[in-house]
Short mmCIF file of all heavy atoms in Angstrom, two decimals:
data_model
loop_
_atom_site.label_atom_id
_atom_site.label_comp_id
_atom_site.label_asym_id
_atom_site.label_seq_id
_atom_site.Cartn_x
_atom_site.Cartn_y
_atom_site.Cartn_z
N THR A 180 13.06 2.53 11.52
CA THR A 180 12.77 1.12 11.23
C THR A 180 11.31 0.96 10.82
O THR A 180 10.94 0.30 9.84
CB THR A 180 13.10 0.22 12.42
OG1 THR A 180 14.45 0.31 12.72
CG2 THR A 180 12.70 -1.23 12.08
N THR A 181 10.39 1.61 11.59
CA THR A 181 8.98 1.57 11.30
C THR A 181 8.64 2.16 10.00
O THR A 181 7.89 1.55 9.20
CB THR A 181 8.20 2.31 12.41
OG1 THR A 181 8.43 1.66 13.67
CG2 THR A 181 6.73 2.29 12.12
N GLU A 182 9.18 3.33 9.67
CA GLU A 182 8.92 4.00 8.38
C GLU A 182 9.36 3.13 7.22
O GLU A 182 8.68 2.99 6.16
CB GLU A 182 9.53 5.36 8.32
CG GLU A 182 8.83 6.35 9.29
CD GLU A 182 9.41 7.77 9.22
OE1 GLU A 182 10.59 7.86 8.78
OE2 GLU A 182 8.73 8.70 9.53
N LEU A 183 10.57 2.52 7.36
CA LEU A 183 11.11 1.73 6.29
C LEU A 183 10.23 0.51 6.07
O LEU A 183 9.89 0.14 4.90
CB LEU A 183 12.49 1.26 6.64
CG LEU A 183 13.19 0.38 5.62
CD1 LEU A 183 13.38 1.06 4.26
CD2 LEU A 183 14.58 -0.13 6.10
N GLN A 184 9.77 -0.17 7.14
CA GLN A 184 8.95 -1.34 6.99
C GLN A 184 7.58 -1.02 6.34
O GLN A 184 7.08 -1.71 5.50
CB GLN A 184 8.76 -2.07 8.34
CG GLN A 184 10.06 -2.60 8.95
CD GLN A 184 10.66 -3.67 8.12
OE1 GLN A 184 10.40 -3.88 6.95
NE2 GLN A 184 11.62 -4.38 8.70
N LEU A 185 6.99 0.08 6.82
CA LEU A 185 5.66 0.50 6.24
C LEU A 185 5.81 0.83 4.77
O LEU A 185 4.98 0.43 3.98
CB LEU A 185 5.16 1.72 7.01
CG LEU A 185 4.69 1.51 8.43
CD1 LEU A 185 4.44 2.82 9.12
CD2 LEU A 185 3.44 0.64 8.47
N LEU A 186 6.90 1.48 4.41
CA LEU A 186 7.14 1.79 3.00
C LEU A 186 7.25 0.52 2.19
O LEU A 186 6.66 0.36 1.14
CB LEU A 186 8.44 2.61 2.89
CG LEU A 186 8.91 2.94 1.45
CD1 LEU A 186 7.87 3.73 0.73
CD2 LEU A 186 10.23 3.61 1.45
N ARG A 187 8.08 -0.48 2.67
CA ARG A 187 8.25 -1.74 1.94
C ARG A 187 6.93 -2.49 1.83
O ARG A 187 6.68 -3.16 0.79
CB ARG A 187 9.32 -2.52 2.60
CG ARG A 187 10.70 -1.93 2.59
CD ARG A 187 11.27 -1.90 1.21
NE ARG A 187 12.66 -1.38 1.17
CZ ARG A 187 13.02 -0.24 0.63
NH1 ARG A 187 12.13 0.52 0.07
NH2 ARG A 187 14.28 0.18 0.68
N ILE A 188 6.11 -2.50 2.86
CA ILE A 188 4.81 -3.22 2.80
C ILE A 188 3.96 -2.65 1.68
O ILE A 188 3.38 -3.40 0.88
CB ILE A 188 4.12 -3.12 4.14
CG1 ILE A 188 4.84 -3.93 5.23
CG2 ILE A 188 2.68 -3.62 4.04
CD1 ILE A 188 4.47 -3.62 6.65
N LEU A 189 3.87 -1.36 1.64
CA LEU A 189 2.98 -0.73 0.66
C LEU A 189 3.58 -0.85 -0.78
O LEU A 189 2.88 -1.00 -1.78
CB LEU A 189 2.75 0.73 0.99
CG LEU A 189 2.00 0.97 2.32
CD1 LEU A 189 1.89 2.45 2.59
CD2 LEU A 189 0.63 0.32 2.21
N GLN A 190 4.90 -0.82 -0.85
CA GLN A 190 5.55 -1.09 -2.17
C GLN A 190 5.22 -2.50 -2.68
O GLN A 190 4.97 -2.73 -3.83
CB GLN A 190 7.07 -0.91 -2.07
CG GLN A 190 7.52 0.56 -1.93
CD GLN A 190 8.98 0.71 -1.74
OE1 GLN A 190 9.68 -0.22 -1.25
NE2 GLN A 190 9.54 1.86 -2.09
N GLU A 191 5.29 -3.50 -1.74
CA GLU A 191 5.01 -4.85 -2.13
C GLU A 191 3.57 -5.01 -2.56
O GLU A 191 3.24 -5.73 -3.54
CB GLU A 191 5.34 -5.80 -0.93
CG GLU A 191 5.08 -7.27 -1.26
CD GLU A 191 6.00 -7.85 -2.29
OE1 GLU A 191 7.13 -7.40 -2.40
OE2 GLU A 191 5.53 -8.74 -3.06
N ALA A 192 2.64 -4.31 -1.88
CA ALA A 192 1.23 -4.41 -2.18
C ALA A 192 1.00 -3.84 -3.61
O ALA A 192 0.24 -4.41 -4.41
CB ALA A 192 0.38 -3.61 -1.18
N LEU A 193 1.64 -2.72 -3.95
CA LEU A 193 1.52 -2.16 -5.27
C LEU A 193 2.18 -3.05 -6.34
O LEU A 193 1.69 -3.15 -7.48
CB LEU A 193 2.12 -0.75 -5.32
CG LEU A 193 1.33 0.36 -4.64
CD1 LEU A 193 2.10 1.65 -4.56
CD2 LEU A 193 -0.01 0.56 -5.37
N ALA A 194 3.30 -3.68 -6.00
CA ALA A 194 3.91 -4.63 -6.90
C ALA A 194 2.95 -5.80 -7.25
O ALA A 194 2.88 -6.26 -8.38
CB ALA A 194 5.21 -5.20 -6.27
N ASN A 195 2.24 -6.26 -6.24
CA ASN A 195 1.26 -7.35 -6.47
C ASN A 195 0.15 -6.86 -7.40
O ASN A 195 -0.35 -7.65 -8.26
CB ASN A 195 0.65 -7.85 -5.17
CG ASN A 195 1.64 -8.58 -4.31
OD1 ASN A 195 2.61 -9.13 -4.85
ND2 ASN A 195 1.42 -8.63 -3.02
N VAL A 196 -0.24 -5.62 -7.29
CA VAL A 196 -1.27 -5.08 -8.19
C VAL A 196 -0.80 -5.17 -9.64
O VAL A 196 -1.54 -5.61 -10.54
CB VAL A 196 -1.64 -3.63 -7.77
CG1 VAL A 196 -2.54 -3.02 -8.86
CG2 VAL A 196 -2.33 -3.58 -6.42
N ARG A 197 0.46 -4.69 -9.82
CA ARG A 197 1.01 -4.77 -11.20
C ARG A 197 1.16 -6.13 -11.72
O ARG A 197 0.80 -6.40 -12.91
CB ARG A 197 2.36 -4.03 -11.23
CG ARG A 197 3.01 -4.03 -12.60
CD ARG A 197 4.45 -3.54 -12.53
NE ARG A 197 5.32 -4.38 -11.71
CZ ARG A 197 5.85 -5.54 -12.13
NH1 ARG A 197 5.58 -6.00 -13.35
NH2 ARG A 197 6.64 -6.26 -11.29
N LYS A 198 1.65 -7.06 -10.93
CA LYS A 198 1.97 -8.39 -11.40
C LYS A 198 0.83 -9.34 -11.52
O LYS A 198 0.78 -10.20 -12.36
CB LYS A 198 3.06 -8.98 -10.48
CG LYS A 198 4.43 -8.30 -10.58
CD LYS A 198 5.52 -9.07 -9.86
CE LYS A 198 5.39 -8.92 -8.35
NZ LYS A 198 6.54 -9.53 -7.63
N HIS A 199 -0.14 -9.25 -10.62
CA HIS A 199 -1.16 -10.27 -10.49
C HIS A 199 -2.61 -9.87 -10.63
O HIS A 199 -3.42 -10.72 -10.92
CB HIS A 199 -1.01 -10.95 -9.15
CG HIS A 199 0.34 -11.44 -8.82
ND1 HIS A 199 1.02 -12.38 -9.55
CD2 HIS A 199 1.21 -11.06 -7.85
CE1 HIS A 199 2.23 -12.63 -9.04
NE2 HIS A 199 2.37 -11.79 -7.98
N SER A 200 -2.92 -8.55 -10.54
CA SER A 200 -4.32 -8.18 -10.37
C SER A 200 -5.08 -8.18 -11.66
O SER A 200 -6.28 -8.37 -11.66
CB SER A 200 -4.38 -6.84 -9.72
OG SER A 200 -3.99 -5.81 -10.59
N GLN A 201 -4.43 -7.80 -12.79
CA GLN A 201 -5.15 -7.57 -14.08
C GLN A 201 -6.21 -6.53 -13.87
O GLN A 201 -7.33 -6.63 -14.46
CB GLN A 201 -5.73 -8.87 -14.62
CG GLN A 201 -4.71 -9.97 -14.88
CD GLN A 201 -5.33 -11.27 -15.38
OE1 GLN A 201 -6.30 -11.23 -16.15
NE2 GLN A 201 -4.80 -12.38 -14.94
N ALA A 202 -5.95 -5.57 -13.02
CA ALA A 202 -6.97 -4.59 -12.67
C ALA A 202 -7.12 -3.46 -13.68
O ALA A 202 -6.18 -3.19 -14.48
CB ALA A 202 -6.60 -3.98 -11.27
N LYS A 203 -8.24 -2.83 -13.69
CA LYS A 203 -8.48 -1.63 -14.50
C LYS A 203 -8.28 -0.36 -13.70
O LYS A 203 -8.17 0.74 -14.27
CB LYS A 203 -9.91 -1.65 -15.08
CG LYS A 203 -10.14 -2.82 -16.05
CD LYS A 203 -11.55 -2.79 -16.58
CE LYS A 203 -11.78 -3.95 -17.53
NZ LYS A 203 -13.23 -3.96 -18.04
N GLN A 204 -8.33 -0.48 -12.39
CA GLN A 204 -8.15 0.66 -11.49
C GLN A 204 -7.59 0.18 -10.18
O GLN A 204 -7.95 -0.88 -9.68
CB GLN A 204 -9.49 1.34 -11.27
CG GLN A 204 -9.49 2.58 -10.36
CD GLN A 204 -8.79 3.78 -11.08
OE1 GLN A 204 -8.99 4.00 -12.26
NE2 GLN A 204 -7.98 4.50 -10.27
N ALA A 205 -6.70 1.00 -9.59
CA ALA A 205 -6.18 0.73 -8.27
C ALA A 205 -6.14 1.98 -7.43
O ALA A 205 -6.30 3.12 -7.94
CB ALA A 205 -4.73 0.14 -8.40
N ALA A 206 -5.96 1.85 -6.14
CA ALA A 206 -5.94 3.01 -5.23
C ALA A 206 -5.01 2.81 -4.09
O ALA A 206 -4.82 1.68 -3.60
CB ALA A 206 -7.38 3.24 -4.69
N LEU A 207 -4.37 3.87 -3.69
CA LEU A 207 -3.52 3.88 -2.51
C LEU A 207 -4.01 5.00 -1.60
O LEU A 207 -4.00 6.19 -1.99
CB LEU A 207 -2.01 4.15 -2.82
CG LEU A 207 -1.07 4.42 -1.68
CD1 LEU A 207 -1.00 3.20 -0.74
CD2 LEU A 207 0.31 4.76 -2.16
N ARG A 208 -4.48 4.61 -0.43
CA ARG A 208 -5.06 5.61 0.55
C ARG A 208 -4.28 5.46 1.86
O ARG A 208 -4.18 4.37 2.41
CB ARG A 208 -6.52 5.41 0.75
CG ARG A 208 -7.37 5.39 -0.56
CD ARG A 208 -8.84 5.21 -0.29
NE ARG A 208 -9.61 5.11 -1.52
CZ ARG A 208 -9.90 3.97 -2.07
NH1 ARG A 208 -9.57 2.84 -1.48
NH2 ARG A 208 -10.59 3.96 -3.23
N VAL A 209 -3.77 6.58 2.31
CA VAL A 209 -2.95 6.56 3.56
C VAL A 209 -3.37 7.75 4.42
O VAL A 209 -3.50 8.86 3.98
CB VAL A 209 -1.43 6.68 3.26
CG1 VAL A 209 -0.64 6.60 4.53
CG2 VAL A 209 -0.99 5.61 2.28
N THR A 210 -3.59 7.45 5.72
CA THR A 210 -3.92 8.47 6.71
C THR A 210 -2.84 8.39 7.82
O THR A 210 -2.70 7.31 8.44
CB THR A 210 -5.31 8.29 7.33
OG1 THR A 210 -6.29 8.36 6.24
CG2 THR A 210 -5.60 9.37 8.34
N LEU A 211 -2.18 9.49 8.04
CA LEU A 211 -1.09 9.51 9.07
C LEU A 211 -1.45 10.48 10.14
O LEU A 211 -1.86 11.60 9.93
CB LEU A 211 0.26 9.93 8.45
CG LEU A 211 0.81 9.10 7.30
CD1 LEU A 211 0.46 9.79 6.02
CD2 LEU A 211 2.31 8.91 7.44
N THR A 212 -1.26 10.05 11.42
CA THR A 212 -1.32 10.90 12.58
C THR A 212 -0.15 10.61 13.45
O THR A 212 0.49 9.55 13.30
CB THR A 212 -2.64 10.70 13.38
OG1 THR A 212 -2.59 9.39 14.01
CG2 THR A 212 -3.84 10.79 12.50
N PRO A 213 0.19 11.45 14.38
CA PRO A 213 1.35 11.17 15.24
C PRO A 213 1.25 9.86 16.02
O PRO A 213 2.25 9.25 16.42
CB PRO A 213 1.42 12.34 16.24
CG PRO A 213 0.77 13.45 15.45
CD PRO A 213 -0.33 12.80 14.63
N LYS A 214 0.02 9.35 16.21
CA LYS A 214 -0.18 8.13 17.01
C LYS A 214 -0.60 6.94 16.20
O LYS A 214 -0.47 5.81 16.66
CB LYS A 214 -1.27 8.36 18.07
CG LYS A 214 -0.90 9.40 19.12
CD LYS A 214 0.22 8.85 20.01
CE LYS A 214 0.51 9.83 21.18
NZ LYS A 214 1.56 9.34 22.03
N ARG A 215 -0.98 7.11 14.89
CA ARG A 215 -1.52 5.98 14.17
C ARG A 215 -1.42 6.20 12.66
O ARG A 215 -1.44 7.34 12.18
CB ARG A 215 -3.02 5.83 14.55
CG ARG A 215 -3.75 4.62 14.04
CD ARG A 215 -5.05 4.42 14.79
NE ARG A 215 -5.74 3.27 14.29
CZ ARG A 215 -6.79 3.30 13.44
NH1 ARG A 215 -7.17 4.47 12.96
NH2 ARG A 215 -7.43 2.15 13.08
N LEU A 216 -1.25 5.09 11.94
CA LEU A 216 -1.27 5.11 10.46
C LEU A 216 -2.24 4.03 10.00
O LEU A 216 -2.22 2.87 10.54
CB LEU A 216 0.14 4.83 9.93
CG LEU A 216 0.20 4.60 8.39
CD1 LEU A 216 1.48 5.27 7.85
CD2 LEU A 216 0.20 3.14 7.96
N VAL A 217 -3.03 4.38 9.03
CA VAL A 217 -3.89 3.41 8.34
C VAL A 217 -3.66 3.55 6.84
O VAL A 217 -3.75 4.71 6.32
CB VAL A 217 -5.39 3.68 8.66
CG1 VAL A 217 -6.25 2.67 7.91
CG2 VAL A 217 -5.66 3.58 10.16
N ALA A 218 -3.36 2.45 6.17
CA ALA A 218 -3.06 2.49 4.74
C ALA A 218 -3.82 1.36 4.03
O ALA A 218 -3.94 0.22 4.60
CB ALA A 218 -1.58 2.40 4.50
N GLU A 219 -4.31 1.63 2.88
CA GLU A 219 -5.02 0.62 2.04
C GLU A 219 -4.49 0.67 0.60
O GLU A 219 -4.34 1.77 0.04
CB GLU A 219 -6.47 0.80 2.03
CG GLU A 219 -7.18 0.50 3.38
CD GLU A 219 -8.68 0.60 3.30
OE1 GLU A 219 -9.18 1.08 2.30
OE2 GLU A 219 -9.38 0.17 4.29
N VAL A 220 -4.30 -0.50 0.08
CA VAL A 220 -4.01 -0.65 -1.35
C VAL A 220 -5.10 -1.52 -1.90
O VAL A 220 -5.28 -2.68 -1.52
CB VAL A 220 -2.65 -1.29 -1.63
CG1 VAL A 220 -2.46 -1.51 -3.14
CG2 VAL A 220 -1.53 -0.40 -1.10
N GLU A 221 -5.91 -1.02 -2.84
CA GLU A 221 -7.06 -1.70 -3.34
C GLU A 221 -7.07 -1.71 -4.88
O GLU A 221 -6.66 -0.73 -5.49
CB GLU A 221 -8.33 -1.00 -2.82
CG GLU A 221 -9.63 -1.73 -3.09
CD GLU A 221 -10.84 -1.17 -2.39
OE1 GLU A 221 -10.70 -0.01 -1.88
OE2 GLU A 221 -11.93 -1.75 -2.41
N ASP A 222 -7.58 -2.83 -5.40
CA ASP A 222 -7.70 -2.90 -6.87
C ASP A 222 -9.05 -3.66 -7.21
O ASP A 222 -9.60 -4.33 -6.38
CB ASP A 222 -6.53 -3.64 -7.48
CG ASP A 222 -6.44 -5.10 -7.10
OD1 ASP A 222 -7.30 -5.88 -7.61
OD2 ASP A 222 -5.59 -5.46 -6.28
N ASP A 223 -9.47 -3.46 -8.45
CA ASP A 223 -10.70 -4.11 -8.96
C ASP A 223 -10.39 -5.29 -9.87
O ASP A 223 -11.13 -5.62 -10.76
CB ASP A 223 -11.53 -3.11 -9.68
CG ASP A 223 -10.85 -2.51 -10.94
OD1 ASP A 223 -9.70 -2.86 -11.21
OD2 ASP A 223 -11.47 -1.72 -11.64
#
């Protein structure tokens, strides 16, 4: 359940980049450990 929800959150964030950002560059950064996940979707 957790993996599916994390996947959908990041997919939605990337969808927003495509639809709304008008960006020239975007980034997806993810760090996974057995105890913690940190993910960022960033655009200019």
Side-chain angles (χ1 to χ4, degrees):
T180 299
T181 296
E182 290 184 336
L183 178 61
Q184 297 295 16
L185 290 170
L186 175 63
R187 294 292 183 248
I188 291 166
L189 297 177
Q190 286 176 337
E191 181 65 33
L193 285 172
N195 288 339
V196 172
R197 178 189 63 80
K198 291 189 286 188
H199 308 297
S200 71
Q201 302 177 36
K203 296 180 180 179
Q204 181 71 39
L207 170 62
R208 305 183 186 94
V209 183
T210 302
L211 303 99
T212 69
K214 294 292 185 181
R215 189 166 180 260
L216 173 142
V217 177
E219 289 186 349
V220 175
E221 187 173 10
D222 67 72
D223 61 359

